[in-house]
């Protein structure tokens, strides 16, 4: 049996008071019995949880959390582990990805995808975390990085995020401009890195492609008009039309909630 160190002082105070009362001879037997019972309750409350019990609970919870992880999250966590990242079992990535946005005269298109086109207006990353109570109620530094195929960082953004117990959705509040961004020369496979408190927690590969106009200019020397659509939410080909009067989702929770209603 191990006692919590933080409780040592007041347990000592209670024990000393009991000794004084018992040695004074002024306390009756019922009073002494009540004080002994009170000390026993305080002692029981100070006992630390069994390490075996904690390990057992972690083993029971791990499969549940693992089943909730998206394929992208599994890939990202495994790649981070192979690169030497420390995987914190108390803060688990259950989803990771990119949200692209494209606007036109008729509305706005938003989609989750691992293929980013320069026909899109912008893109920003997101991550969903499962936080255990031991890591909750604190602020964590979450760093998003998008690195091109030559290893050059094209997007770096850090956020101080409050971690609460359970599922936490973190959507970067800064975009990487795509359409008309002449600084983006390198197309192909890029990497999205998620770092939590200075430790690499996820590494996901995604693809960046040139715009249709850039392709035509390079291959055919022509240009192609882009078809615009009403505002809808897409996920790699599937679409959800909320109507022209629906507000644009301002948070990752709302975005995922709308997708789940499809």
């Amino acid at each position: 049996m191990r006692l919590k160190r933080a409780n040592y002082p007041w347990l000592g105070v209670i024990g000393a008071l009991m000794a004084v009362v018992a040695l004074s001879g002024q306390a009756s037997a019922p009073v002494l019995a009540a004080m002994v019972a009170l000390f026993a309750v305080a002692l029981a409350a100070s006992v630390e949880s069994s390490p075996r019990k904690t390990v057992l609970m972690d083993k029971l919870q791990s499969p549940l959390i693992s089943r909730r992880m998206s394929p992208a999250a599994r890939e990202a966590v495994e790649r981070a582990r192979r690169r030497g990242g420390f995987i914190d079992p108390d803060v688990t990535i259950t989803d990771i990805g990119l949200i692209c946005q494209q606007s036109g005269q008729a509305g706005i298109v938003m989609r989750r995808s691992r293929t980013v086109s320069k026909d899109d207006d912008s893109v920003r990353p997101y991550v969903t975390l499962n936080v255990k109570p031991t890591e909750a109620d604190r602020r964590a530094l979450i760093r998003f990085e998008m690195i091109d195929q030559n290893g050059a960082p094209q997007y770096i953004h850090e956020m101080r995020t409050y971690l609460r117990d359970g599922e936490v959705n973190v959507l970067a509040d800064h975009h990487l401009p795509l359409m008309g961004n002449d600084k983006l020369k390198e197309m192909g496979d890029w990497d999205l890195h998620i770092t939590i408190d200075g430790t690499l927690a996820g590494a996901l590969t995604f693809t960046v492609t040139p715009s249709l106009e850039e392709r035509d200019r390079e291959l055919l020397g022509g240009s192609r008009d882009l078809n615009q659509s009403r505002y809808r939410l897409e996920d790699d080909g599937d679409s959800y039309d909320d109507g022209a009067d629906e507000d644009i989702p301002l948070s990752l929770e709302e975005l995922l909630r709308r997708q789940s209603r499809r």
Side-chain angles (χ1 to χ4, degrees), residues 200-216:
L200 181 64
L204 185 70
T205 299
F206 65 98
T207 303
V208 179
T209 63
S211 65
L212 296 177
E213 184 177 355
E214 289 174 332
R215 294 179 188 179
D216 285 342

Side-chain angles (χ1 to χ4, degrees), residues 217-235:
R217 187 167 59 244
E218 181 178 347
L219 299 176
L220 304 176
S223 62
R224 186 178 303 173
D225 294 331
L226 300 178
N227 294 324
Q228 303 295 341
S229 63
R230 296 174 63 200
Y231 168 65
R232 65 186 183 276
L233 173 64
E234 295 183 348
D235 188 3

Side-chain angles (χ1 to χ4, degrees), residues 1-246:
M1 181 180 68
R2 296 178 58 185
L3 300 179
K4 299 178 182 177
R5 290 182 176 275
N7 293 350
Y8 283 178
W10 64 276
L11 285 175
V13 171
I14 294 177
L17 290 176
M18 289 180 57
V20 170
V21 172
L23 293 176
S24 67
Q26 301 297 320
S28 62
V31 172
L32 289 175
M35 294 184 65
V36 171
L38 178 63
F39 184 77
V41 171
L43 194 63
S46 302
V47 176
E48 290 185 344
S49 300
S50 171
R52 291 185 178 181
K53 182 179 179 180
T54 302
V55 171
L56 178 60
M57 290 300 296
D58 288 343
K59 289 182 177 180
L60 292 175
Q61 291 178 0
S62 295
L64 298 177
I65 297 174
S66 179
R67 284 197 293 269
R68 294 169 57 186
M69 294 175 66
S70 67
R74 297 177 189 275
E75 177 186 335
V77 170
E78 178 59 23
R79 289 189 67 210
R81 186 191 65 80
R82 292 199 304 265
R83 296 186 181 194
F86 173 73
I87 308 304
D88 188 350
D90 294 337
V91 181
T92 307
I93 293 179
T94 57
D95 196 14
I96 182 176
L98 300 162
I99 295 179
C100 302
Q101 178 173 313
Q102 184 183 49
S103 61
Q105 294 180 350
I108 296 177
V109 175
M110 297 182 70
R111 76 179 190 279
R112 295 192 302 167
S113 179
R114 288 180 65 172
T115 301
V116 175
S117 169
K118 288 188 68 177
D119 286 323
D120 297 314
D121 292 333
S122 62
V123 64
R124 53 178 168 165
Y126 75 90
V127 65
T128 301
L129 306 174
N130 183 275
V131 182
K132 292 186 178 180
T134 52
E135 288 293 323
D137 302 327
R138 69 178 183 88
R139 289 191 174 274
L141 179 62
I142 299 180
R143 178 184 177 97
F144 298 95
E145 294 183 70
M146 286 188 249
I147 302 169
D148 66 26
Q149 63 176 3
N150 289 330
Q154 299 292 344
Y155 173 97
I156 298 176
H157 180 59
E158 294 184 345
M159 299 175 60
R160 285 283 180 184
T161 303
Y162 184 77
L163 300 182
R164 65 179 184 277
D165 182 12
E167 191 172 88
V168 178
N169 293 314
V170 184
L171 177 63
D173 50 19
H174 281 68
H175 298 251
L176 172 66
L178 295 173
M179 181 176 289
N181 189 348
D182 296 331
K183 295 181 179 179
L184 300 183
K185 303 293 185 182
E186 299 298 330
M187 304 294 104
D189 292 336
W190 288 28
D191 279 333
L192 169 62
H193 288 180
I194 305 293
T195 303
I196 302 176
D197 290 331
T199 300
L200 181 64
L204 185 70
T205 299
F206 65 98
T207 303
V208 179
T209 63
S211 65
L212 296 177
E213 184 177 355
E214 289 174 332
R215 294 179 188 179
D216 285 342
R217 187 167 59 244
E218 181 178 347
L219 299 176
L220 304 176
S223 62
R224 186 178 303 173
D225 294 331
L226 300 178
N227 294 324
Q228 303 295 341
S229 63
R230 296 174 63 200
Y231 168 65
R232 65 186 183 276
L233 173 64
E234 295 183 348
D235 188 3
D236 286 339
D238 298 329
S239 64
Y240 176 74
D241 194 340
D242 260 345
D245 296 332
E246 191 75 19

